Amino acid sequence: METETSIQQMKELAQKLNEAARAYYQEDREIMSNLEYDALYDRLQSLEKETGTVLAGSPTISVGYEAVNSLPKENHESPMLSLDKTKDREVLRDFIGTHRTLLSWKLDGLTIVLTYENGELQKAVTRGNGTTGEVITNNARVFCNIPLRIPFQGRLVLRGEAIITYSDFEKINESIGDADAQYKNPRNLCSGSVRQLNNEITAKRNVRFYAFSLVSAENADMHNSREYQLQWLASQGFDIVEYRIVTGETLDEAMDYFAEAVSRNDFPSDGLVALYDDIAFGDSLGRTAKFPRNAFAFKWADEIRETHLLEIEWSPSRTGLINPVAVFEPVELEGTTVSRASVHNVSIVKELELGIGDVIQVYKANMIIPQIADNLTRSSNLIIPDRCPACSHEAKVIKENDVEALYCMNPDCAAKKIKAFTLFVSRDAMNIDGLSEATLEKFIARGYIHNFGDIFEIEKCRDEITSMEGFGEKSFDNLLTSLEKARETTLPRIIYSLGISNIGLANAKVICRYFDNDLNKIRHASMEEISAIDGIGPVIARNMADYFAKEDNNRKLDHLLSHLIIQKEEQTGEQIFAGLNFVITGSVEHFSNRSEVKTLIESLGGKVTGSVTGKTNYLINNDTTSGSSKNKKAKELGIPIISEEDFLKMVSKHV
């Protein structure tokens, strides 16, 4: 108990000292005196010596950043099995029976195995397929809370879950202006963060580790108790997963606690795990072909509520796409009040046969994102607007790739303008910090910026902007610093930042590479020349040719270019995919999102397109046997369908 108190003090001291250092060195302000800092630092060092524990992030140590070429694979000492699962509380109660059982959160992140030798972190390996994982030791060293040194000197192997909290997930997404580039959920972000080749990126993602199982501790007596194991790990400096001790008789109280807490937790969880406390008894039960018999998982059932559809709001985007959002009578879902859900496009509106007043069923996908599950009355009385809600100009339903969507036809729509500037400053475009969508809206409304080049001339509006509420001298100077950094950029980023419809960063790179990074050639290229590029279809070609055919667009681009220094993109790695075209579909697990897969393919000379055609060489889909339209098309054309694992094997042979 005394050790746990000391470790808690160490965490608090480290946080205070790191905040003080950040304020002093990065923000040019002092929040404590040197005397106070030194006293706290000495106290932290004393506690580390007393407990024999040094936590990741401690200011008493310096963990250098390191980049590697690849993540080596390694077999686990003992296989990591999946758990049998249920959504029925009574099935769980039958499993527990009269046995003393630990009931804990089933955290939704990435399982990691840690190995310590002589008190030092020696190795960290991902779960992988349960038999073989990836070695991510460099990355584990920069997790927020992993002990780098512990008092136990024997060999220790333990398992836990790496996660990113909802609040950190939201902060990271808020820093990404383009909604298409944002991460879909904390688990995907965590998975990609843990597998980074450069651990400096991992360090910025605030990955946390929670121990849930001790595999082995050399010559240590664990008193035949799983609970003792967890408490012992806590005494070594590990954060452990929260748990309750239950039997079948006391299960309800604990379940009610977890069911209530899940809606307010800052960490992602997709259920609970029940594990027998008696180690010898649990181990004696053995395992089935797939599952251990000493543990059972409980998955939350989707909570579905009926409500009435009140209206459909139509929200314009930078491309002119007008997204439908369902507004319904508020209902309680997973502990929060929900009254809105995205419907995505006109095709889904029609598929659900939506109408005002319909009785609809709503739920939270993964207990987070509100969705419409079904429409029980299907009146189909909804009228698709023919005017843009932002500018009142003509709106049309356009069908592309079998999906119908509503578009604003006015090129000068105010909503488009704000969204266009938001894309322009986003991470994958010009990467300008300090310009949120709300700030851009104010700047546009006050006439400070009319086109992209005006952003780099914002210094002339200093007096007006620094007098705005919430935007003082410090914020303005930070913006100028960010602008100065953004001046040096690459041609693909510039092309992408212009917001030409259907042209993402990946397509921009392909086009720039084809035209030898010569902007003059790109500006004067015909639709036929552009569509001749492998992977660039007629829609993209027409959009690009039409954009540069307009004199006003070229005038604004010249204004922007007068403020920029264009650097040539460096080609890294052997171009093993030169001449190959890939299509990526479905979810990914070894990357944060599909954009990261695209970036890797392009860095190795390949191209990524959106649809399967005769020019496609590989379709990447983790569900290789699904009956999706892309899988069917690939099979018809004889195109190989490969999993993410297959793709990574292709890369690892050469990189």
Side-chain angles (χ1 to χ4, degrees):
M1 191 67 176
E2 185 178 339
T3 302
E4 290 180 36
T5 303
S6 297
I7 288 172
Q8 183 58 38
Q9 289 180 23
M10 288 161 54
K11 291 176 181 177
E12 293 169 359
L13 286 168
Q15 182 179 354
K16 288 180 181 178
L17 289 166
N18 286 332
E19 285 176 359
R22 184 165 50 249
Y24 184 81
Y25 291 107
Q26 297 179 20
E27 301 168 11
D28 197 24
R29 61 189 181 93
E30 290 189 31
I31 60 176
M32 67 173 63
S33 67
N34 288 342
L35 186 66
E36 183 182 2
Y37 184 93
D38 290 343
L40 294 178
Y41 189 94
D42 291 343
R43 174 60 178 155
L44 176 59
Q45 272 193 322
S46 175
L47 286 170
E48 289 178 343
K49 186 176 180 180
E50 175 188 313
T51 62
T53 300
V54 178
L55 302 172
S58 172
T60 66
I61 59 170
S62 176
V63 179
Y65 296 131
E66 185 176 349
V68 296
N69 293 323
S70 63
L71 296 175
K73 300 288 181 66
E74 182 170 300
N75 290 336
H76 295 298
E77 294 179 12
S78 57
M80 301 179 66
L81 303 177
S82 300
L83 298 180
D84 200 358
K85 60 183 73 71
T86 182
K87 292 186 178 182
D88 188 334
R89 185 181 293 196
E90 295 311 309
V91 172
L92 186 64
R93 193 192 311 278
D94 289 342
F95 166 79
I96 295 170
T98 59
H99 301 291
R100 192 172 189 270
T101 302
L102 278 71
L103 189 67
S104 63
W105 294 113
K106 186 175 183 293
L107 298 175
D108 192 17
L110 197 70
T111 299
I112 307 292
V113 183
L114 301 181
T115 301
Y116 288 77
E117 297 272 9
N118 301 318
E120 302 282 345
L121 175 63
Q122 182 198 59
K123 186 169 55 181
V125 184
T126 65
R127 180 185 186 281
N129 61 11
T131 302
T132 304
E134 293 169 310
V135 180
I136 48 101
T137 312
N138 286 338
N139 296 340
R141 292 184 187 280
V142 296
F143 287 4
C144 288
N145 61 339
I146 279 184
L148 302 181
R149 190 179 307 137
I150 60 175
F152 181 68
Q153 294 300 297
R155 189 170 193 274
L156 169 66
V157 181
L158 70 146
R159 296 170 182 168
E161 198 82 356
I163 65 164
I164 290 178
T165 63
Y166 288 123
S167 52
D168 284 331
F169 170 73
E170 288 165 2
K171 287 176 186 175
I172 291 168
N173 263 352
E174 283 172 6
S175 69
I176 303 171
D178 185 9
D180 292 337
Q182 291 181 346
Y183 299 98
K184 304 305 179 188
N185 56 61
R187 186 190 183 283
N188 283 358
L189 174 58
C190 181
S191 179
S193 301
V194 167
R195 292 188 175 96
Q196 289 292 327
L197 297 181
N198 184 344
N199 68 347
E200 185 173 4
I201 298 173
T202 306
K204 294 175 181 178
R205 301 283 176 81
N206 288 341
V207 180
R208 302 167 195 273
F209 176 86
Y210 290 90
F212 60 66
S213 173
L214 187 149
V215 179
S216 63
E218 190 176 29
N219 299 324
D221 182 7
M222 291 299 155
H223 303 278
N224 195 39
S225 168
R226 296 291 182 187
E227 182 181 22
Y228 185 89
Q229 286 182 337
L230 283 182
Q231 291 301 321
W232 183 83
L233 287 172
S235 74
Q236 298 294 311
F238 294 96
D239 285 336
I240 59 172
V241 65
E242 183 185 12
Y243 68 90
R244 293 284 189 275
I245 296 294
V246 300
T247 64
E249 288 185 1
T250 62
L251 176 63
D252 290 323
E253 183 180 351
M255 290 286 286
D256 291 345
Y257 162 77
F258 284 114
E260 189 276 330
V262 70
S263 61
R264 52 182 168 79
N265 285 342
D266 192 33
F267 55 83
S269 167
D270 57 356
L272 304 171
V273 174
L275 175 67
Y276 292 145
D277 181 54
D278 188 319
I279 298 173
F281 171 73
D283 289 348
S284 72
L285 299 175
R287 47 174 280 190
T288 67
K290 295 176 63 178
F291 310 119
R293 289 194 171 100
N294 66 341
F296 214 90
F298 177 86
K299 302 282 284 185
W300 305 111
D302 289 326
E303 186 178 6
I304 298 177
R305 292 282 183 269
E306 288 186 10
T307 184
H308 289 87
L309 182 65
L310 300 178
E311 63 173 310
I312 293 288
E313 287 184 357
W314 297 88
S315 175
S317 68
R318 67 171 178 85
T319 61
L321 175 65
I322 304 175
N323 300 293
V325 178
V327 181
F328 42 83
E329 291 177 351
V331 291
E332 289 291 318
L333 277 177
E334 315 293 358
T336 60
T337 302
V338 177
S339 59
R340 302 165 65 85
S342 174
V343 192
H344 304 295
N345 54 53
V346 172
S347 289
I348 295 176
V349 169
K350 291 181 177 179
E351 182 182 331
L352 287 168
E353 299 177 272
L354 291 176
I356 305 306
D358 280 352
V359 178
I360 58 174
Q361 292 181 326
V362 294
Y363 72 106
K364 277 187 177 179
N366 295 323
M367 302 185 75
I368 303 170
I369 304 168
Q371 300 279 299
I372 296 178
D374 199 5
N375 179 10
L376 301 182
T377 45
R378 295 184 174 268
S379 68
S380 294
N381 67 22
L382 189 69
I383 298 174
I384 308 297
D386 58 6
R387 295 284 165 184
C388 172
C391 67
S392 299
H393 281 68
E394 181 187 16
K396 280 185 178 180
V397 174
I398 297 174
K399 188 172 185 178
E400 287 186 8
N401 297 323
D402 296 324
V403 175
E404 289 185 305
L406 185 67
Y407 287 86
C408 172
M409 297 289 101
N410 176 18
D412 298 316
C413 177
K416 282 186 184 180
K417 199 168 188 178
I418 294 167
K419 298 293 184 183
F421 274 100
T422 302
L423 171 70
F424 180 80
V425 304
S426 67
R427 182 188 64 176
D428 288 340
M430 297 305 294
N431 195 20
I432 302 173
D433 290 330
L435 287 177
S436 65
E437 185 170 317
T439 299
L440 286 166
E441 189 172 359
K442 290 176 184 176
F443 284 7
I444 293 168
R446 297 185 183 204
Y448 301 153
I449 54 177
H450 301 279
N451 57 62
F452 297 144
D454 292 339
I455 292 178
F456 291 92
E457 299 172 0
I458 206 70
E459 169 74 31
K460 61 188 179 185
C461 302
R462 173 186 279 271
D463 292 342
E464 295 93 332
I465 292 174
T466 53
S467 64
M468 289 169 54
E469 184 178 349
F471 213 98
E473 292 284 349
K474 186 69 175 178
S475 297
F476 192 81
D477 287 339
N478 288 340
L479 173 58
L480 292 183
T481 300
S482 182
L483 286 170
E484 192 59 36
K485 184 179 178 182
R487 289 180 195 277
E488 294 188 9
T489 188
T490 61
L491 187 58
R493 282 179 174 268
I494 295 172
I495 297 296
Y496 171 57
S497 74
L498 298 177
I500 303 170
S501 185
N502 296 114
I503 296 182
L505 183 58
N507 289 328
K509 288 180 177 180
V510 170
I511 292 168
C512 290
R513 195 179 301 139
Y514 181 84
F515 287 107
D516 301 318
N517 283 286
D518 187 328
L519 180 56
N520 193 51
K521 288 181 181 178
I522 294 172
R523 291 172 101 164
H524 293 94
S526 66
M527 176 183 166
E528 289 73 23
E529 288 177 287
I530 300 169
S531 60
I533 303 171
D534 283 345
I536 302 298
V539 173
I540 292 176
R542 182 176 63 249
N543 291 343
M544 174 159 269
D546 288 350
Y547 181 90
F548 287 115
K550 295 177 181 177
E551 184 180 343
D552 190 49
N553 287 339
N554 283 289
R555 179 181 57 79
K556 291 175 181 177
L557 177 56
D558 287 335
H559 180 209
L560 170 63
L561 292 171
S562 69
H563 295 287
L564 302 180
I565 300 170
I566 302 177
Q567 299 173 321
K568 187 173 182 180
E569 281 205 317
E570 295 294 328
Q571 290 289 340
T572 58
E574 183 186 349
Q575 302 295 284
I576 61 171
F577 293 147
L580 298 181
N581 295 317
F582 291 80
V583 174
I584 311 164
T585 189
S587 60
V588 292
E589 295 184 0
H590 293 272
F591 299 83
S592 297
N593 51 37
R594 292 201 296 261
S595 292
E596 288 193 358
V597 189
K598 286 184 181 180
T599 300
L600 176 57
I601 290 171
E602 289 164 1
S603 73
L604 299 173
K607 298 170 185 176
V608 178
T609 62
S611 56
V612 177
T613 69
K615 295 181 179 179
T616 304
N617 297 101
Y618 294 98
L619 170 62
I620 300 175
N621 186 355
N622 280 326
D623 191 354
T624 57
T625 61
S626 79
S628 69
S629 59
K630 286 182 179 174
N631 274 22
K632 289 178 181 176
K633 186 71 172 177
K635 288 174 182 176
E636 288 174 8
L637 297 172
I639 293 165
I641 304 171
I642 61 173
S643 68
E644 204 175 344
E645 290 284 352
D646 297 329
F647 168 71
L648 288 171
K649 287 176 184 175
M650 293 169 65
V651 174
S652 65
K653 288 179 181 178
H654 299 273
V655 178

